[in-house]
Amino acid sequence: MQSQCENIYKTARKHAGLTQNEASELLFISPRTLSEYENGRLIPPDDVVAKMVEVYKTPWLAYQHLQSSSMLGQKYLPELDFLDLSAAVVKLRKELNDVERLNDAIFEIASDGEINEEERITWDRVIKEIREMISASLALCFTNTYKDGA
């Protein structure tokens, strides 16, 4: 598990304003097991994390759990920067503008349904910008529910 993500479960619980004992009761697990999750000694199974998301009302926890505990998540889910609302909106606007600037290139390349060697560098840049836009979009979606260290 990535060191940054070792405390995602604790952060989510604190965001919900619950003690370990209260949370473990609602999650139907022992306080010791919850402590093991929160200290990074055990990775909770997906069904426990799904229950945490519901109990804690923290949808971002599901994303971070998959990103940190799953090989697929680590490989394919983009990193998210959890920013305050205004910074998240500015970041998304910037990423949307970056994609918009490539709009003509997107249509030009895609018009024939093929990406040839001459178009590959531009297309790779398009994909990079789209991924950054997706990341900024997801970060904005989670902004209202994420509180760092809450």
Side-chain angles (χ1 to χ4, degrees), residues 3 9 26 28 38 40 49 55 61 112 114 124 129 149:
S3 60
Y9 313 106
L26 293 168
F28 305 107
E38 291 185 0
V49 177
V55 168
L61 179 61
D112 64 0
E114 294 178 10
D124 289 345
E129 293 299 340

Side-chain angles (χ1 to χ4, degrees), residues 81-93 136-137 139-147:
D81 293 325
F82 291 102
L83 307 166
D84 64 39
L85 181 59
S86 59
V89 168
V90 169
K91 173 83 172 167
L92 178 57
R93 185 69 250 167
S137 300
L140 180 60
C141 290
F142 295 137
T143 296
N144 290 337
T145 60
Y146 184 81
K147 303 278 190 239

Side-chain angles (χ1 to χ4, degrees), residues 77-124:
L77 294 178
E79 289 288 329
L80 300 184
D81 293 325
F82 291 102
L83 307 166
D84 64 39
L85 181 59
S86 59
V89 168
V90 169
K91 173 83 172 167
L92 178 57
R93 185 69 250 167
K94 179 231 178 267
E95 298 305 339
L96 288 168
N97 286 344
D98 289 350
V99 171
E100 180 64 28
R101 278 193 285 280
L102 292 168
N103 207 26
D104 290 342
I106 293 169
F107 282 105
E108 180 69 29
I109 292 170
S111 64
D112 64 0
E114 294 178 10
I115 302 168
N116 63 40
E117 286 304 311
E118 295 167 358
E119 299 167 329
R120 175 57 54 195
I121 292 172
T122 302
W123 190 251
D124 289 345

Side-chain angles (χ1 to χ4, degrees), residues 31-70:
R32 181 176 179 170
T33 299
L34 182 57
S35 177
E36 295 288 310
Y37 298 153
E38 291 185 0
N39 289 308
R41 289 189 286 272
L42 289 175
I43 298 171
D46 293 347
D47 63 321
V48 172
V49 177
K51 186 72 174 170
M52 287 177 176
V53 169
E54 292 171 20
V55 168
Y56 301 162
K57 295 179 177 45
T58 53
W60 55 265
L61 179 61
Y63 188 92
Q64 283 196 316
H65 169 75
L66 289 173
Q67 189 181 49
S68 65
S69 67
S70 157

